PDB file of all heavy atoms in Angstrom:
ATOM      1  N   THR A 757     -15.467   6.688  15.831  1.00  0.00           N
ATOM      2  CA  THR A 757     -15.678   5.854  17.004  1.00  0.00           C
ATOM      3  C   THR A 757     -15.342   6.647  18.257  1.00  0.00           C
ATOM      4  O   THR A 757     -14.378   7.408  18.278  1.00  0.00           O
ATOM      5  CB  THR A 757     -14.792   4.598  16.929  1.00  0.00           C
ATOM      6  OG1 THR A 757     -15.085   3.914  15.709  1.00  0.00           O
ATOM      7  CG2 THR A 757     -15.026   3.674  18.106  1.00  0.00           C
ATOM      8  N   ALA A 758     -16.156   6.465  19.286  1.00  0.00           N
ATOM      9  CA  ALA A 758     -15.907   7.144  20.559  1.00  0.00           C
ATOM     10  C   ALA A 758     -16.128   6.169  21.710  1.00  0.00           C
ATOM     11  O   ALA A 758     -16.997   5.303  21.654  1.00  0.00           O
ATOM     12  CB  ALA A 758     -16.826   8.351  20.718  1.00  0.00           C
ATOM     13  N   SER A 759     -15.315   6.343  22.751  1.00  0.00           N
ATOM     14  CA  SER A 759     -15.481   5.548  23.968  1.00  0.00           C
ATOM     15  C   SER A 759     -15.533   6.443  25.201  1.00  0.00           C
ATOM     16  O   SER A 759     -15.436   5.961  26.315  1.00  0.00           O
ATOM     17  CB  SER A 759     -14.353   4.528  24.100  1.00  0.00           C
ATOM     18  OG  SER A 759     -13.103   5.190  24.223  1.00  0.00           O
ATOM     19  N   TRP A 760     -15.666   7.737  24.989  1.00  0.00           N
ATOM     20  CA  TRP A 760     -15.829   8.697  26.081  1.00  0.00           C
ATOM     21  C   TRP A 760     -17.148   9.412  25.886  1.00  0.00           C
ATOM     22  O   TRP A 760     -17.495   9.801  24.764  1.00  0.00           O
ATOM     23  CB  TRP A 760     -14.722   9.746  26.067  1.00  0.00           C
ATOM     24  CG  TRP A 760     -13.351   9.264  26.430  1.00  0.00           C
ATOM     25  CD1 TRP A 760     -12.914   7.975  26.519  1.00  0.00           C
ATOM     26  CD2 TRP A 760     -12.231  10.080  26.743  1.00  0.00           C
ATOM     27  NE1 TRP A 760     -11.588   7.943  26.858  1.00  0.00           N
ATOM     28  CE2 TRP A 760     -11.136   9.236  27.006  1.00  0.00           C
ATOM     29  CE3 TRP A 760     -12.031  11.447  26.821  1.00  0.00           C
ATOM     30  CZ2 TRP A 760      -9.874   9.700  27.346  1.00  0.00           C
ATOM     31  CZ3 TRP A 760     -10.773  11.916  27.155  1.00  0.00           C
ATOM     32  CH2 TRP A 760      -9.713  11.051  27.426  1.00  0.00           C
ATOM     33  N   GLY A 761     -17.883   9.624  26.966  1.00  0.00           N
ATOM     34  CA  GLY A 761     -19.134  10.367  26.886  1.00  0.00           C
ATOM     35  C   GLY A 761     -20.147   9.812  27.859  1.00  0.00           C
ATOM     36  O   GLY A 761     -19.831   8.977  28.707  1.00  0.00           O
ATOM     37  N   GLY A 762     -21.366  10.284  27.748  1.00  0.00           N
ATOM     38  CA  GLY A 762     -22.418   9.827  28.633  1.00  0.00           C
ATOM     39  C   GLY A 762     -23.732  10.507  28.343  1.00  0.00           C
ATOM     40  O   GLY A 762     -23.869  11.268  27.383  1.00  0.00           O
ATOM     41  N   VAL A 763     -24.696  10.215  29.186  1.00  0.00           N
ATOM     42  CA  VAL A 763     -26.013  10.834  29.107  1.00  0.00           C
ATOM     43  C   VAL A 763     -26.403  11.300  30.495  1.00  0.00           C
ATOM     44  O   VAL A 763     -25.904  10.791  31.498  1.00  0.00           O
ATOM     45  CB  VAL A 763     -27.074   9.863  28.540  1.00  0.00           C
ATOM     46  CG1 VAL A 763     -26.774   9.488  27.101  1.00  0.00           C
ATOM     47  CG2 VAL A 763     -27.196   8.623  29.403  1.00  0.00           C
ATOM     48  N   GLY A 764     -27.294  12.283  30.545  1.00  0.00           N
ATOM     49  CA  GLY A 764     -27.747  12.786  31.832  1.00  0.00           C
ATOM     50  C   GLY A 764     -28.725  13.928  31.641  1.00  0.00           C
ATOM     51  O   GLY A 764     -29.390  14.030  30.613  1.00  0.00           O
ATOM     52  N   VAL A 765     -28.778  14.780  32.640  1.00  0.00           N
ATOM     53  CA  VAL A 765     -29.666  15.933  32.610  1.00  0.00           C
ATOM     54  C   VAL A 765     -28.824  17.179  32.822  1.00  0.00           C
ATOM     55  O   VAL A 765     -27.983  17.236  33.716  1.00  0.00           O
ATOM     56  CB  VAL A 765     -30.748  15.833  33.707  1.00  0.00           C
ATOM     57  CG1 VAL A 765     -31.629  17.067  33.719  1.00  0.00           C
ATOM     58  CG2 VAL A 765     -31.589  14.570  33.514  1.00  0.00           C
ATOM     59  N   MET A 766     -29.028  18.172  31.971  1.00  0.00           N
ATOM     60  CA  MET A 766     -28.295  19.440  32.068  1.00  0.00           C
ATOM     61  C   MET A 766     -29.228  20.535  31.598  1.00  0.00           C
ATOM     62  O   MET A 766     -29.919  20.368  30.585  1.00  0.00           O
ATOM     63  CB  MET A 766     -27.036  19.365  31.190  1.00  0.00           C
ATOM     64  CG  MET A 766     -26.094  20.512  31.318  1.00  0.00           C
ATOM     65  SD  MET A 766     -25.179  20.319  32.852  1.00  0.00           S
ATOM     66  CE  MET A 766     -24.086  21.684  32.733  1.00  0.00           C
ATOM     67  N   TRP A 767     -29.239  21.633  32.304  1.00  0.00           N
ATOM     68  CA  TRP A 767     -30.063  22.781  31.930  1.00  0.00           C
ATOM     69  C   TRP A 767     -31.521  22.385  31.721  1.00  0.00           C
ATOM     70  O   TRP A 767     -32.214  22.891  30.845  1.00  0.00           O
ATOM     71  CB  TRP A 767     -29.489  23.490  30.698  1.00  0.00           C
ATOM     72  CG  TRP A 767     -28.063  23.916  30.874  1.00  0.00           C
ATOM     73  CD1 TRP A 767     -27.545  24.684  31.888  1.00  0.00           C
ATOM     74  CD2 TRP A 767     -26.957  23.583  30.038  1.00  0.00           C
ATOM     75  NE1 TRP A 767     -26.202  24.845  31.731  1.00  0.00           N
ATOM     76  CE2 TRP A 767     -25.802  24.187  30.603  1.00  0.00           C
ATOM     77  CE3 TRP A 767     -26.820  22.852  28.866  1.00  0.00           C
ATOM     78  CZ2 TRP A 767     -24.541  24.079  30.037  1.00  0.00           C
ATOM     79  CZ3 TRP A 767     -25.562  22.737  28.305  1.00  0.00           C
ATOM     80  CH2 TRP A 767     -24.445  23.344  28.885  1.00  0.00           C
ATOM     81  N   GLY A 768     -31.987  21.425  32.540  1.00  0.00           N
ATOM     82  CA  GLY A 768     -33.378  21.006  32.498  1.00  0.00           C
ATOM     83  C   GLY A 768     -33.749  20.143  31.303  1.00  0.00           C
ATOM     84  O   GLY A 768     -34.926  19.946  31.022  1.00  0.00           O
ATOM     85  N   LYS A 769     -32.756  19.605  30.616  1.00  0.00           N
ATOM     86  CA  LYS A 769     -33.027  18.793  29.423  1.00  0.00           C
ATOM     87  C   LYS A 769     -32.276  17.471  29.502  1.00  0.00           C
ATOM     88  O   LYS A 769     -31.224  17.381  30.133  1.00  0.00           O
ATOM     89  CB  LYS A 769     -32.586  19.536  28.158  1.00  0.00           C
ATOM     90  CG  LYS A 769     -33.350  20.840  27.938  1.00  0.00           C
ATOM     91  CD  LYS A 769     -32.895  21.514  26.672  1.00  0.00           C
ATOM     92  CE  LYS A 769     -33.555  22.848  26.503  1.00  0.00           C
ATOM     93  NZ  LYS A 769     -34.890  22.793  25.966  1.00  0.00           N
ATOM     94  N   ASN A 770     -32.820  16.453  28.855  1.00  0.00           N
ATOM     95  CA  ASN A 770     -32.099  15.192  28.692  1.00  0.00           C
ATOM     96  C   ASN A 770     -31.005  15.429  27.664  1.00  0.00           C
ATOM     97  O   ASN A 770     -31.275  15.950  26.575  1.00  0.00           O
ATOM     98  CB  ASN A 770     -33.039  14.093  28.208  1.00  0.00           C
ATOM     99  CG  ASN A 770     -34.094  13.750  29.235  1.00  0.00           C
ATOM    100  OD1 ASN A 770     -33.823  13.729  30.425  1.00  0.00           O
ATOM    101  ND2 ASN A 770     -35.302  13.480  28.775  1.00  0.00           N
ATOM    102  N   VAL A 771     -29.776  15.072  28.016  1.00  0.00           N
ATOM    103  CA  VAL A 771     -28.640  15.384  27.154  1.00  0.00           C
ATOM    104  C   VAL A 771     -27.716  14.183  26.989  1.00  0.00           C
ATOM    105  O   VAL A 771     -27.731  13.255  27.792  1.00  0.00           O
ATOM    106  CB  VAL A 771     -27.808  16.577  27.696  1.00  0.00           C
ATOM    107  CG1 VAL A 771     -28.653  17.838  27.796  1.00  0.00           C
ATOM    108  CG2 VAL A 771     -27.162  16.249  29.037  1.00  0.00           C
ATOM    109  N   ALA A 772     -26.924  14.266  25.935  1.00  0.00           N
ATOM    110  CA  ALA A 772     -25.772  13.386  25.750  1.00  0.00           C
ATOM    111  C   ALA A 772     -24.560  14.293  25.688  1.00  0.00           C
ATOM    112  O   ALA A 772     -24.646  15.428  25.200  1.00  0.00           O
ATOM    113  CB  ALA A 772     -25.897  12.579  24.461  1.00  0.00           C
ATOM    114  N   PHE A 773     -23.440  13.811  26.212  1.00  0.00           N
ATOM    115  CA  PHE A 773     -22.209  14.584  26.106  1.00  0.00           C
ATOM    116  C   PHE A 773     -21.122  13.700  25.523  1.00  0.00           C
ATOM    117  O   PHE A 773     -21.029  12.516  25.820  1.00  0.00           O
ATOM    118  CB  PHE A 773     -21.795  15.226  27.430  1.00  0.00           C
ATOM    119  CG  PHE A 773     -21.666  14.271  28.585  1.00  0.00           C
ATOM    120  CD1 PHE A 773     -20.443  13.721  28.922  1.00  0.00           C
ATOM    121  CD2 PHE A 773     -22.773  13.938  29.353  1.00  0.00           C
ATOM    122  CE1 PHE A 773     -20.315  12.851  29.988  1.00  0.00           C
ATOM    123  CE2 PHE A 773     -22.663  13.060  30.422  1.00  0.00           C
ATOM    124  CZ  PHE A 773     -21.430  12.524  30.741  1.00  0.00           C
ATOM    125  N   ILE A 774     -20.346  14.318  24.630  1.00  0.00           N
ATOM    126  CA  ILE A 774     -19.302  13.600  23.906  1.00  0.00           C
ATOM    127  C   ILE A 774     -18.019  14.414  23.949  1.00  0.00           C
ATOM    128  O   ILE A 774     -18.056  15.622  24.207  1.00  0.00           O
ATOM    129  CB  ILE A 774     -19.709  13.323  22.442  1.00  0.00           C
ATOM    130  CG1 ILE A 774     -20.021  14.637  21.706  1.00  0.00           C
ATOM    131  CG2 ILE A 774     -20.905  12.360  22.396  1.00  0.00           C
ATOM    132  CD1 ILE A 774     -20.262  14.491  20.217  1.00  0.00           C
ATOM    133  N   PHE A 775     -16.913  13.755  23.682  1.00  0.00           N
ATOM    134  CA  PHE A 775     -15.603  14.396  23.681  1.00  0.00           C
ATOM    135  C   PHE A 775     -14.915  14.060  22.365  1.00  0.00           C
ATOM    136  O   PHE A 775     -14.804  12.897  21.992  1.00  0.00           O
ATOM    137  CB  PHE A 775     -14.759  13.892  24.853  1.00  0.00           C
ATOM    138  CG  PHE A 775     -15.390  14.206  26.183  1.00  0.00           C
ATOM    139  CD1 PHE A 775     -16.359  13.373  26.723  1.00  0.00           C
ATOM    140  CD2 PHE A 775     -15.029  15.349  26.868  1.00  0.00           C
ATOM    141  CE1 PHE A 775     -16.958  13.671  27.940  1.00  0.00           C
ATOM    142  CE2 PHE A 775     -15.618  15.656  28.089  1.00  0.00           C
ATOM    143  CZ  PHE A 775     -16.590  14.817  28.620  1.00  0.00           C
ATOM    144  N   VAL A 776     -14.460  15.109  21.662  1.00  0.00           N
ATOM    145  CA  VAL A 776     -13.856  14.920  20.348  1.00  0.00           C
ATOM    146  C   VAL A 776     -12.526  15.666  20.307  1.00  0.00           C
ATOM    147  O   VAL A 776     -12.465  16.860  20.615  1.00  0.00           O
ATOM    148  CB  VAL A 776     -14.793  15.422  19.225  1.00  0.00           C
ATOM    149  CG1 VAL A 776     -14.156  15.220  17.859  1.00  0.00           C
ATOM    150  CG2 VAL A 776     -16.154  14.717  19.306  1.00  0.00           C
ATOM    151  N   ARG A 777     -11.471  14.965  19.915  1.00  0.00           N
ATOM    152  CA  ARG A 777     -10.142  15.585  19.830  1.00  0.00           C
ATOM    153  C   ARG A 777     -10.076  16.598  18.696  1.00  0.00           C
ATOM    154  O   ARG A 777     -10.758  16.469  17.677  1.00  0.00           O
ATOM    155  CB  ARG A 777      -9.067  14.524  19.629  1.00  0.00           C
ATOM    156  CG  ARG A 777      -8.809  13.701  20.893  1.00  0.00           C
ATOM    157  CD  ARG A 777      -7.461  13.003  20.804  1.00  0.00           C
ATOM    158  NE  ARG A 777      -7.273  12.100  21.909  1.00  0.00           N
ATOM    159  CZ  ARG A 777      -6.634  12.422  23.041  1.00  0.00           C
ATOM    160  NH1 ARG A 777      -6.136  13.631  23.211  1.00  0.00           N
ATOM    161  NH2 ARG A 777      -6.483  11.530  23.998  1.00  0.00           N
ATOM    162  N   ASP A 778      -9.184  17.579  18.881  1.00  0.00           N
ATOM    163  CA  ASP A 778      -9.002  18.653  17.900  1.00  0.00           C
ATOM    164  C   ASP A 778      -8.701  18.133  16.500  1.00  0.00           C
ATOM    165  O   ASP A 778      -9.111  18.728  15.506  1.00  0.00           O
ATOM    166  CB  ASP A 778      -7.857  19.581  18.323  1.00  0.00           C
ATOM    167  CG  ASP A 778      -8.179  20.388  19.570  1.00  0.00           C
ATOM    168  OD1 ASP A 778      -9.363  20.522  19.926  1.00  0.00           O
ATOM    169  OD2 ASP A 778      -7.221  20.901  20.182  1.00  0.00           O
ATOM    170  N   THR A 779      -7.949  17.053  16.406  1.00  0.00           N
ATOM    171  CA  THR A 779      -7.468  16.564  15.119  1.00  0.00           C
ATOM    172  C   THR A 779      -8.484  15.711  14.353  1.00  0.00           C
ATOM    173  O   THR A 779      -8.236  15.362  13.203  1.00  0.00           O
ATOM    174  CB  THR A 779      -6.196  15.721  15.308  1.00  0.00           C
ATOM    175  OG1 THR A 779      -6.490  14.669  16.241  1.00  0.00           O
ATOM    176  CG2 THR A 779      -5.054  16.573  15.820  1.00  0.00           C
ATOM    177  N   ARG A 780      -9.604  15.390  14.970  1.00  0.00           N
ATOM    178  CA  ARG A 780     -10.571  14.500  14.321  1.00  0.00           C
ATOM    179  C   ARG A 780     -11.354  15.224  13.236  1.00  0.00           C
ATOM    180  O   ARG A 780     -11.840  16.341  13.432  1.00  0.00           O
ATOM    181  CB  ARG A 780     -11.529  13.893  15.344  1.00  0.00           C
ATOM    182  CG  ARG A 780     -10.865  12.992  16.382  1.00  0.00           C
ATOM    183  CD  ARG A 780     -10.056  11.843  15.785  1.00  0.00           C
ATOM    184  NE  ARG A 780     -10.847  10.903  15.033  1.00  0.00           N
ATOM    185  CZ  ARG A 780     -11.248   9.726  15.475  1.00  0.00           C
ATOM    186  NH1 ARG A 780     -10.921   9.322  16.692  1.00  0.00           N
ATOM    187  NH2 ARG A 780     -11.971   8.942  14.718  1.00  0.00           N
ATOM    188  N   TYR A 781     -11.485  14.584  12.102  1.00  0.00           N
ATOM    189  CA  TYR A 781     -12.215  15.143  10.960  1.00  0.00           C
ATOM    190  C   TYR A 781     -13.685  15.388  11.316  1.00  0.00           C
ATOM    191  O   TYR A 781     -14.281  16.395  10.927  1.00  0.00           O
ATOM    192  CB  TYR A 781     -12.080  14.194   9.778  1.00  0.00           C
ATOM    193  CG  TYR A 781     -12.665  14.663   8.483  1.00  0.00           C
ATOM    194  CD1 TYR A 781     -12.444  15.944   8.000  1.00  0.00           C
ATOM    195  CD2 TYR A 781     -13.436  13.802   7.708  1.00  0.00           C
ATOM    196  CE1 TYR A 781     -12.970  16.363   6.784  1.00  0.00           C
ATOM    197  CE2 TYR A 781     -13.959  14.204   6.493  1.00  0.00           C
ATOM    198  CZ  TYR A 781     -13.730  15.492   6.037  1.00  0.00           C
ATOM    199  OH  TYR A 781     -14.249  15.896   4.839  1.00  0.00           O
ATOM    200  N   THR A 782     -14.279  14.502  12.082  1.00  0.00           N
ATOM    201  CA  THR A 782     -15.680  14.646  12.470  1.00  0.00           C
ATOM    202  C   THR A 782     -15.914  15.936  13.248  1.00  0.00           C
ATOM    203  O   THR A 782     -16.997  16.512  13.190  1.00  0.00           O
ATOM    204  CB  THR A 782     -16.131  13.428  13.290  1.00  0.00           C
ATOM    205  OG1 THR A 782     -15.906  12.248  12.510  1.00  0.00           O
ATOM    206  CG2 THR A 782     -17.605  13.496  13.662  1.00  0.00           C
ATOM    207  N   LYS A 783     -14.900  16.423  13.954  1.00  0.00           N
ATOM    208  CA  LYS A 783     -15.036  17.664  14.724  1.00  0.00           C
ATOM    209  C   LYS A 783     -15.440  18.828  13.825  1.00  0.00           C
ATOM    210  O   LYS A 783     -16.255  19.675  14.218  1.00  0.00           O
ATOM    211  CB  LYS A 783     -13.735  17.982  15.467  1.00  0.00           C
ATOM    212  CG  LYS A 783     -13.835  19.194  16.383  1.00  0.00           C
ATOM    213  CD  LYS A 783     -12.531  19.406  17.127  1.00  0.00           C
ATOM    214  CE  LYS A 783     -12.629  20.477  18.184  1.00  0.00           C
ATOM    215  NZ  LYS A 783     -13.260  21.722  17.789  1.00  0.00           N
ATOM    216  N   GLU A 784     -14.904  18.874  12.615  1.00  0.00           N
ATOM    217  CA  GLU A 784     -15.265  19.936  11.678  1.00  0.00           C
ATOM    218  C   GLU A 784     -16.764  19.925  11.388  1.00  0.00           C
ATOM    219  O   GLU A 784     -17.401  20.977  11.308  1.00  0.00           O
ATOM    220  CB  GLU A 784     -14.487  19.784  10.367  1.00  0.00           C
ATOM    221  CG  GLU A 784     -12.990  19.927  10.516  1.00  0.00           C
ATOM    222  CD  GLU A 784     -12.235  19.639   9.225  1.00  0.00           C
ATOM    223  OE1 GLU A 784     -12.823  19.791   8.120  1.00  0.00           O
ATOM    224  OE2 GLU A 784     -11.050  19.260   9.325  1.00  0.00           O
ATOM    225  N   PHE A 785     -17.335  18.741  11.254  1.00  0.00           N
ATOM    226  CA  PHE A 785     -18.756  18.616  10.958  1.00  0.00           C
ATOM    227  C   PHE A 785     -19.599  19.008  12.171  1.00  0.00           C
ATOM    228  O   PHE A 785     -20.639  19.655  12.023  1.00  0.00           O
ATOM    229  CB  PHE A 785     -19.081  17.188  10.520  1.00  0.00           C
ATOM    230  CG  PHE A 785     -18.470  16.830   9.202  1.00  0.00           C
ATOM    231  CD1 PHE A 785     -17.195  16.284   9.134  1.00  0.00           C
ATOM    232  CD2 PHE A 785     -19.156  17.045   8.022  1.00  0.00           C
ATOM    233  CE1 PHE A 785     -16.623  15.954   7.921  1.00  0.00           C
ATOM    234  CE2 PHE A 785     -18.592  16.721   6.791  1.00  0.00           C
ATOM    235  CZ  PHE A 785     -17.324  16.177   6.742  1.00  0.00           C
ATOM    236  N   ILE A 786     -19.155  18.609  13.353  1.00  0.00           N
ATOM    237  CA  ILE A 786     -19.891  18.989  14.569  1.00  0.00           C
ATOM    238  C   ILE A 786     -19.822  20.501  14.757  1.00  0.00           C
ATOM    239  O   ILE A 786     -20.838  21.148  15.036  1.00  0.00           O
ATOM    240  CB  ILE A 786     -19.332  18.253  15.808  1.00  0.00           C
ATOM    241  CG1 ILE A 786     -19.511  16.747  15.664  1.00  0.00           C
ATOM    242  CG2 ILE A 786     -20.028  18.756  17.079  1.00  0.00           C
ATOM    243  CD1 ILE A 786     -18.774  15.935  16.711  1.00  0.00           C
ATOM    244  N   ASP A 787     -18.635  21.078  14.593  1.00  0.00           N
ATOM    245  CA  ASP A 787     -18.474  22.525  14.778  1.00  0.00           C
ATOM    246  C   ASP A 787     -19.298  23.330  13.783  1.00  0.00           C
ATOM    247  O   ASP A 787     -19.796  24.406  14.116  1.00  0.00           O
ATOM    248  CB  ASP A 787     -17.003  22.924  14.658  1.00  0.00           C
ATOM    249  CG  ASP A 787     -16.171  22.504  15.847  1.00  0.00           C
ATOM    250  OD1 ASP A 787     -16.745  22.192  16.915  1.00  0.00           O
ATOM    251  OD2 ASP A 787     -14.926  22.474  15.713  1.00  0.00           O
ATOM    252  N   ASN A 788     -19.438  22.834  12.560  1.00  0.00           N
ATOM    253  CA  ASN A 788     -20.134  23.578  11.510  1.00  0.00           C
ATOM    254  C   ASN A 788     -21.628  23.282  11.428  1.00  0.00           C
ATOM    255  O   ASN A 788     -22.317  23.844  10.580  1.00  0.00           O
ATOM    256  CB  ASN A 788     -19.477  23.317  10.152  1.00  0.00           C
ATOM    257  CG  ASN A 788     -18.082  23.912  10.095  1.00  0.00           C
ATOM    258  OD1 ASN A 788     -17.839  25.003  10.585  1.00  0.00           O
ATOM    259  ND2 ASN A 788     -17.157  23.186   9.506  1.00  0.00           N
ATOM    260  N   GLY A 789     -22.125  22.409  12.280  1.00  0.00           N
ATOM    261  CA  GLY A 789     -23.544  22.058  12.245  1.00  0.00           C
ATOM    262  C   GLY A 789     -24.202  22.276  13.587  1.00  0.00           C
ATOM    263  O   GLY A 789     -23.578  22.700  14.557  1.00  0.00           O
ATOM    264  N   ASP A 790     -25.472  21.960  13.632  1.00  0.00           N
ATOM    265  CA  ASP A 790     -26.259  22.126  14.854  1.00  0.00           C
ATOM    266  C   ASP A 790     -26.601  20.810  15.523  1.00  0.00           C
ATOM    267  O   ASP A 790     -27.174  20.804  16.611  1.00  0.00           O
ATOM    268  CB  ASP A 790     -27.572  22.860  14.530  1.00  0.00           C
ATOM    269  CG  ASP A 790     -27.342  24.275  14.026  1.00  0.00           C
ATOM    270  OD1 ASP A 790     -26.380  24.917  14.487  1.00  0.00           O
ATOM    271  OD2 ASP A 790     -28.120  24.722  13.163  1.00  0.00           O
ATOM    272  N   THR A 791     -26.286  19.688  14.870  1.00  0.00           N
ATOM    273  CA  THR A 791     -26.729  18.396  15.367  1.00  0.00           C
ATOM    274  C   THR A 791     -25.621  17.353  15.251  1.00  0.00           C
ATOM    275  O   THR A 791     -24.648  17.532  14.522  1.00  0.00           O
ATOM    276  CB  THR A 791     -27.955  17.905  14.571  1.00  0.00           C
ATOM    277  OG1 THR A 791     -27.593  17.808  13.193  1.00  0.00           O
ATOM    278  CG2 THR A 791     -29.152  18.851  14.728  1.00  0.00           C
ATOM    279  N   PHE A 792     -25.811  16.262  15.952  1.00  0.00           N
ATOM    280  CA  PHE A 792     -24.975  15.072  15.813  1.00  0.00           C
ATOM    281  C   PHE A 792     -25.790  13.881  16.284  1.00  0.00           C
ATOM    282  O   PHE A 792     -26.841  14.043  16.911  1.00  0.00           O
ATOM    283  CB  PHE A 792     -23.650  15.193  16.591  1.00  0.00           C
ATOM    284  CG  PHE A 792     -23.795  15.355  18.073  1.00  0.00           C
ATOM    285  CD1 PHE A 792     -23.867  14.250  18.923  1.00  0.00           C
ATOM    286  CD2 PHE A 792     -23.831  16.622  18.640  1.00  0.00           C
ATOM    287  CE1 PHE A 792     -23.984  14.410  20.307  1.00  0.00           C
ATOM    288  CE2 PHE A 792     -23.945  16.792  20.011  1.00  0.00           C
ATOM    289  CZ  PHE A 792     -24.025  15.683  20.848  1.00  0.00           C
ATOM    290  N   SER A 793     -25.332  12.694  15.965  1.00  0.00           N
ATOM    291  CA  SER A 793     -26.008  11.486  16.437  1.00  0.00           C
ATOM    292  C   SER A 793     -24.988  10.527  17.028  1.00  0.00           C
ATOM    293  O   SER A 793     -23.799  10.583  16.712  1.00  0.00           O
ATOM    294  CB  SER A 793     -26.775  10.804  15.300  1.00  0.00           C
ATOM    295  OG  SER A 793     -25.881  10.289  14.330  1.00  0.00           O
ATOM    296  N   LEU A 794     -25.484   9.663  17.888  1.00  0.00           N
ATOM    297  CA  LEU A 794     -24.695   8.575  18.467  1.00  0.00           C
ATOM    298  C   LEU A 794     -25.389   7.280  18.062  1.00  0.00           C
ATOM    299  O   LEU A 794     -26.577   7.107  18.323  1.00  0.00           O
ATOM    300  CB  LEU A 794     -24.658   8.676  19.988  1.00  0.00           C
ATOM    301  CG  LEU A 794     -24.161   9.990  20.571  1.00  0.00           C
ATOM    302  CD1 LEU A 794     -24.281   9.972  22.090  1.00  0.00           C
ATOM    303  CD2 LEU A 794     -22.732  10.253  20.154  1.00  0.00           C
ATOM    304  N   THR A 795     -24.651   6.403  17.403  1.00  0.00           N
ATOM    305  CA  THR A 795     -25.222   5.130  16.969  1.00  0.00           C
ATOM    306  C   THR A 795     -24.530   4.005  17.722  1.00  0.00           C
ATOM    307  O   THR A 795     -23.295   3.977  17.815  1.00  0.00           O
ATOM    308  CB  THR A 795     -25.053   4.927  15.449  1.00  0.00           C
ATOM    309  OG1 THR A 795     -25.588   6.061  14.751  1.00  0.00           O
ATOM    310  CG2 THR A 795     -25.776   3.676  14.988  1.00  0.00           C
TER     311      THR A 795
END
């Protein structure tokens, strides 16, 4: 679950930005992959 983040434009692309603490298990998956989703 996340309650920090947003959407906008960066580097000429539509983007989403999220913030994940160091201790979160999901961070390992984000760091080791190329993608993520927001539901």
Side-chain angles (χ1 to χ4, degrees):
T757 304
S759 63
W760 290 14
V763 295
V765 177
M766 187 77 176
W767 304 306
K769 297 181 185 279
N770 294 322
V771 300
F773 55 95
I774 58 173
F775 299 84
V776 180
R777 287 199 187 265
D778 292 341
T779 56
R780 297 304 297 259
Y781 185 47
T782 303
K783 185 177 188 313
E784 297 175 25
F785 293 89
I786 297 170
D787 287 343
N788 293 320
D790 296 326
T791 59
F792 62 88
S793 67
L794 305 176
T795 306

